[in-house]
């Protein structure tokens, strides 16, 4: 459903049932903060500046994505709706969390399988799927799920593309995602991310990695249409082939 | 014009009329927390959490939201106070120390002027005697002035102490954890009581005012610096626009905390206007209660005396 944008009332840290009743209908999903158009515009500008100024402010990148995704997100949602597996995902709304993943089972899978490689990626780069920010400023709860799915699937993108979580790897993944999703945040990240890289890395980026990422992005079918949780046993190579992602250089 | 107003409305979408109509403190156990209705205990808890979360970015946010003007307001408060060396100040809800540091600077320069005047009058003394009297006074650069910073929130006090250390303030400064509604001090102790941008967050303002009266010496002065009401209609609309549209965004971008700053702008709207606060201060027993509007009422300094 769509929200009527309004000044949001503050919620307590532990949303108390009684007083939520009055403002409840403004809030479409837990964590939702309804915003006016002007506020979204200011947020988009402010978060873009802050994300560039302080690259460790991942929350700013997230906010930028939410406030600028008004065209790209419905597009993505429609792509998902029109695909059998994507439709399935929208119905069931799976979440990738440490609590929903059976880490022991994934670790036990053979090398080269999606599950094993994903866990290896998490361990090597010391990241966890629980650090993704939940959406706040998307005024449609289905689109809020779409952007949340996109964020949670990001680590799997790293695994499929074979890119680490350093600045260079992140930029490459952003280029891929920009082509795949059309989210302005990805486009901006892809364009401005390289600003902080050394010239040597920039060269590698420009000559090999970015063209490859773009080719993959264009060739591959929509990555949000894959029900990853049901494909942990599938070998990464076969999944890459299925999607149309070329092997990394 | 009508078209522009309709578009503005769409862009800004003001909240439901009845919420705006609720003014002042709700009666009985129900109170306001911004535009929500909560019990007293819930309100105290929520406000504690707000300041716990904003403490580290408090000063940065103050500068961004007011474009640095809050410094001028605090300076004006200090000038109005015009403390002489030897004054004992209690700064309640003083958290990060802005008023306390200004007080110390003020009495320090007042003290220097005092010493210089003293030296001038003693120009007939020998070099030895002048040097000795200077030495004696040097270790009393504040002239026995003291400020006690009292705040209910540990995080804010922590930030204040760190700031003091960083800026080199040590003498004449004490930090006390305490509740404005129930101060941990004896009666008739302080020369001046200040509460800057804090009284809005107190749950029982009447109790805080009574406590202020109690701990002040006879002849002591009560000073309150707080956001107040803008009567000019055009300015009021611009102010509302800025408060509701820009400030929570600043909170999100700078401090990563939308909700605390949403609470802040709502709590300003809920707080009693100038005349009402004046009446409350008089009710607590203060005399010669008066207020001065700064920036057309965006901020007001209320003053009263215990006689």
């Amino acid at each position: 459903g769509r929200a009527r944008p309004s000044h949001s009332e503050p919620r307590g840290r532990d949303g108390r049932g009684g007083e939520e009743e009055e403002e409840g209908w403004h809030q479409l999903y837990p964590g939702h903060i309804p915003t006016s158009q002007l506020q979204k515009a200011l947020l988009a500008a402010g978060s873009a500046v802050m994300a560039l100024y302080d690259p460790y402010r991942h929350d700013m990148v997230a906010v930028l994505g939410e406030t600028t995704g008004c065209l790209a997100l419905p597009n993505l949602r429609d792509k998902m709706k029109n695909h059998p597996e994507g439709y399935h995902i929208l119905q069931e709304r799976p979440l990738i969390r440490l609590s929903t993943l059976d880490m022991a089972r994934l670790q036990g899978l053979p090398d080269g399988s999606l599950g094993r490689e994903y866990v290896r990626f998490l361990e090597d780069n010391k990241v966890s799927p629980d650090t993704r920010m939940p959406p706040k400023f998307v005024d449609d709860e289905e689109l809020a799920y779409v952007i949340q799915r996109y964020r949670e699937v990001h680590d799997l993108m790293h695994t499929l593309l074979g890119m680490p979580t350093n600045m260079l790897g992140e930029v490459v993944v952003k280029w891929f995602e920009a082509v795949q999703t059309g989210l302005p945040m990805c486009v901006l990240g892809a364009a401005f991310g390289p600003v902080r890289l050394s010239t040597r890395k920039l060269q590698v980026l420009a000559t090999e990695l970015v063209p490859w990422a773009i080719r993959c992005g264009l060739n591959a079918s929509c990555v949000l249409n894959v029900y990853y949780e049901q494909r942990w046993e599938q070998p990464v190579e076969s999944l890459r082939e299925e999607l149309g992602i070329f092997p990394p250089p | 014009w009508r078209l522009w107003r309709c578009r503005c409305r769409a862009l800004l979408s003001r909240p439901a009329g009845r919420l705006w109509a609720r003014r002042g403190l709700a009666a009985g156990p129900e109170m306001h927390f911004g535009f929500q209705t909560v019990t007293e205990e819930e309100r105290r808890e929520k406000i504690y959490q707000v300041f716990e979360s904003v403490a580290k970015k408090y000063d940065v946010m103050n500068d961004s939201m007011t474009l640095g003007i809050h410094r001028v307001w605090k300076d004006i408060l200090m000038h109005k106070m015009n403390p002489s060396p030897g004054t004992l100040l209690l700064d309640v809800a003083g958290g990060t120390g802005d008023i306390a540091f200004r007080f110390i600077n003020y009495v320090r320069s007042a003290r220097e002027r005092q010493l210089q005047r003293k030296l001038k009058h003693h120009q007939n003394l020998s070099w030895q005697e002048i040097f000795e009297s200077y030495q004696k006074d040097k270790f009393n650069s504040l002239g026995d002035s003291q400020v006690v910073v009292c705040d209910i929130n540990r995080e804010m006090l922590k930030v204040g102490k760190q700031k003091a250390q960083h800026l080199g303030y040590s003498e004449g400064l004490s930090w006390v954890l305490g509740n404005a509604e129930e101060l941990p001090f004896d009666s008739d102790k302080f020369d001046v009581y200040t509460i800057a941008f804090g009284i809005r967050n107190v749950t029982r303002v009447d109790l805080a005012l009574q406590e202020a009266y109690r701990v002040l010496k006879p002849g002591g002065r009560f000073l309150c610096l707080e956001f107040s009401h803008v009567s000019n209609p055009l300015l009021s609309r611009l102010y509302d626009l800025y408060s509701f549209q820009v400030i929570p965004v600043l909170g999100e971008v700078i401090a990563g905390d939308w909700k605390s700053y949403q609470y802040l702008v709502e709590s300003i709207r809920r707080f009693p206007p100038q005349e009402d606060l004046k009446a409350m201060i008089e009710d607590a027993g203060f005399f010669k209660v008066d207020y001065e509007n700064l920036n057309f009422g965006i901020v007001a300094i209320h003053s009263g005396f215990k006689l």
Side-chain angles (χ1 to χ4, degrees):
Chain A
R2 301 213 129 264
R4 188 167 66 79
S6 70
H7 301 306
S8 60
E9 290 84 50
R11 272 146 252 299
R13 251 130 246 275
D14 41 296
R16 293 178 189 254
E19 65 237 19
E20 295 299 87
E21 226 180 326
E22 194 182 71
E23 304 101 15
W25 71 285
H26 290 309
Q27 202 186 32
L28 294 170
Y29 49 87
H32 180 214
I33 297 177
T35 43
S36 66
Q37 296 281 48
L38 176 60
Q39 284 173 323
K40 285 201 177 63
L42 291 171
L43 270 173
S47 60
V49 170
M50 190 51 103
L52 278 176
Y53 174 73
D54 184 357
Y56 288 102
R57 290 290 301 273
H58 299 299
D59 61 323
M60 287 292 100
V61 178
V63 169
L64 183 60
E66 289 168 32
T67 49
T68 52
C70 42
L71 288 173
L73 283 175
N75 222 344
L76 273 176
R77 189 257 313 268
D78 293 339
K79 271 196 200 163
M80 286 176 82
K81 264 208 171 122
N82 296 330
H83 188 279
E85 218 172 326
Y87 186 77
H88 208 38
I89 297 173
L90 276 178
Q91 294 287 72
E92 293 186 6
R93 307 261 181 109
L95 296 171
I96 301 178
R97 295 257 189 291
L98 280 177
S99 50
T100 57
L101 295 175
D102 188 350
M103 297 302 277
R105 188 187 80 116
L106 295 180
Q107 259 167 347
L109 289 172
D111 282 345
S113 64
L114 182 64
R116 184 73 194 91
E117 295 309 311
Y118 175 60
V119 171
R120 183 170 291 144
F121 166 81
L122 291 178
E123 287 168 356
D124 285 351
N125 292 277
K126 297 192 188 38
V127 290
S128 146
D130 289 353
T131 55
R132 297 289 155 206
M133 266 200 51
K136 292 197 286 228
F137 303 112
V138 182
D139 289 336
D140 178 309
E141 53 98 39
E142 193 172 35
L143 294 181
Y145 174 73
V146 172
I147 206 172
Q148 188 161 22
R149 182 77 183 160
Y150 151 74
R151 282 181 194 155
E152 291 174 358
V153 156
H154 179 79
D155 288 336
L156 283 156
M157 291 301 100
H158 274 278
T159 313
L160 283 176
L161 295 171
M163 289 288 127
T165 54
N166 54 24
M167 200 65 196
L168 187 63
E170 292 289 351
V171 172
V172 176
V173 178
K174 274 283 164 295
W175 275 97
F176 176 77
E177 286 176 344
V179 174
Q180 275 270 309
T181 64
L183 280 168
M185 177 263 284
C186 296
V187 175
L188 286 170
F192 287 100
V195 158
R196 291 179 175 260
L197 290 173
S198 64
T199 21
R200 186 174 53 86
K201 287 195 177 151
L202 271 174
Q203 221 178 10
V204 175
L205 193 68
T207 52
E208 288 179 29
L209 295 172
V210 169
W212 165 73
I214 297 179
R215 269 183 296 132
C216 286
L218 290 171
N219 191 48
S221 55
C222 182
V223 284
L224 285 183
N225 280 335
V226 180
Y227 206 138
Y228 297 99
E229 290 90 327
Q230 291 174 345
R231 291 169 178 254
W232 293 127
E233 293 89 3
Q234 188 177 3
V236 176
E237 287 304 325
S238 121
L239 186 56
R240 278 191 189 137
E241 246 186 74
E242 190 183 325
L243 283 175
I245 296 176
F246 307 120
Chain B
W1 170 247
R2 214 170 292 151
L3 220 72
W4 183 77
R5 276 183 66 192
C6 283
R7 275 190 60 221
C8 275
R9 205 158 289 158
L11 274 179
L12 305 176
S13 295
R14 321 198 116 244
R18 61 199 161 95
L19 286 176
W20 282 94
R22 244 194 275 145
R23 278 236 174 273
L25 295 170
E30 298 251 292
M31 313 215 73
H32 60 80
F33 173 74
F35 289 157
Q36 279 183 350
T37 306
V38 297
T39 63
E40 253 186 50
E41 211 27 67
E42 285 172 342
R43 186 177 192 267
R44 283 199 189 92
E45 207 183 291
K46 288 191 177 196
I47 291 178
Y48 192 92
Q49 286 165 352
V50 164
F51 281 93
E52 201 175 39
S53 125
V54 307
K56 292 199 175 73
K57 296 266 176 138
Y58 187 71
D59 293 325
V60 171
M61 279 302 301
N62 282 347
D63 276 332
S64 333
M65 292 190 290
T66 63
L67 304 170
I69 301 175
H70 74 106
R71 297 168 186 237
V72 176
W73 293 330
K74 288 166 182 164
D75 288 339
I76 294 177
L77 176 71
M78 202 42 57
H79 273 93
K80 201 173 166 90
M81 191 195 299
N82 192 17
S84 47
T87 302
L88 182 51
L89 167 68
L90 173 63
D91 182 30
V92 175
T96 55
D98 278 348
I99 302 295
F101 303 150
R102 279 175 172 75
F103 172 79
I104 291 179
N105 292 342
Y106 199 97
V107 294
R108 195 175 274 153
S109 40
R111 177 72 176 155
E112 268 168 24
R113 285 196 299 271
Q114 206 179 45
L115 289 175
Q116 272 180 346
R117 275 199 302 267
K118 220 167 86 169
L119 279 180
K120 263 195 175 155
H121 289 145
H122 293 161
Q123 272 167 348
N124 56 339
L125 290 180
S126 70
W127 285 117
Q128 184 70 16
E129 286 162 309
I130 293 175
F131 181 70
E132 274 170 7
S133 88
Y134 184 67
Q135 289 282 62
K136 194 163 36 97
D137 291 325
K138 196 167 86 155
F139 295 112
N140 196 0
S141 62
L142 291 181
D144 294 323
S145 321
Q146 268 205 72
V147 52
V148 177
V149 180
C150 179
D151 200 295
I152 198 175
N153 194 298
R154 267 189 195 82
E155 281 307 311
M156 293 291 279
L157 277 179
K158 206 162 93 173
V159 172
K161 282 190 218 174
Q162 283 169 353
K163 240 171 88 176
Q165 222 178 18
H166 185 68
L167 296 170
Y169 291 99
S170 51
E171 229 190 307
L173 191 55
S174 314
W175 305 86
V176 176
L177 189 70
N179 183 347
E181 297 169 14
E182 209 181 319
L183 291 171
F185 305 113
D186 251 339
S187 312
D188 305 313
K189 278 271 169 293
F190 295 95
D191 296 309
V192 187
Y193 173 111
T194 50
I195 183 164
F197 300 118
I199 204 163
R200 198 179 75 249
N201 300 304
V202 169
T203 302
R204 292 281 306 274
V205 178
D206 53 336
L207 291 181
L209 292 172
Q210 279 167 30
E211 279 294 271
Y213 189 85
R214 179 180 71 79
V215 300
L216 276 173
K217 286 185 197 158
R221 189 177 196 183
F222 168 87
L223 280 167
C224 167
L225 174 67
E226 190 52 83
F227 287 109
S228 202
H229 286 250
V230 178
S231 43
N232 178 315
L234 174 64
L235 208 61
S236 171
R237 291 190 74 148
L238 285 172
Y239 180 45
D240 283 353
L241 177 76
Y242 178 74
S243 296
F244 282 97
Q245 299 298 316
V246 178
I247 287 184
V249 173
L250 280 176
E252 180 70 25
V253 172
I254 297 176
D257 189 346
W258 175 284
K259 292 179 178 171
S260 295
Y261 289 91
Q262 181 74 39
Y263 159 73
L264 182 136
V265 297
E266 291 178 3
S267 69
I268 293 175
R269 295 298 173 297
R270 294 299 230 133
F271 192 67
Q274 289 86 330
E275 284 294 331
D276 292 4
L277 184 58
K278 176 175 172 197
M280 289 169 81
I281 298 172
E282 283 168 345
D283 282 346
F286 289 99
F287 285 94
K288 222 175 166 295
V289 180
D290 200 14
Y291 62 84
E292 185 189 332
N293 274 344
L294 302 178
N295 290 120
F296 299 102
I298 293 181
V299 162
I301 299 180
H302 281 72
S303 159
F305 290 91
K306 172 175 179 172
L307 296 178

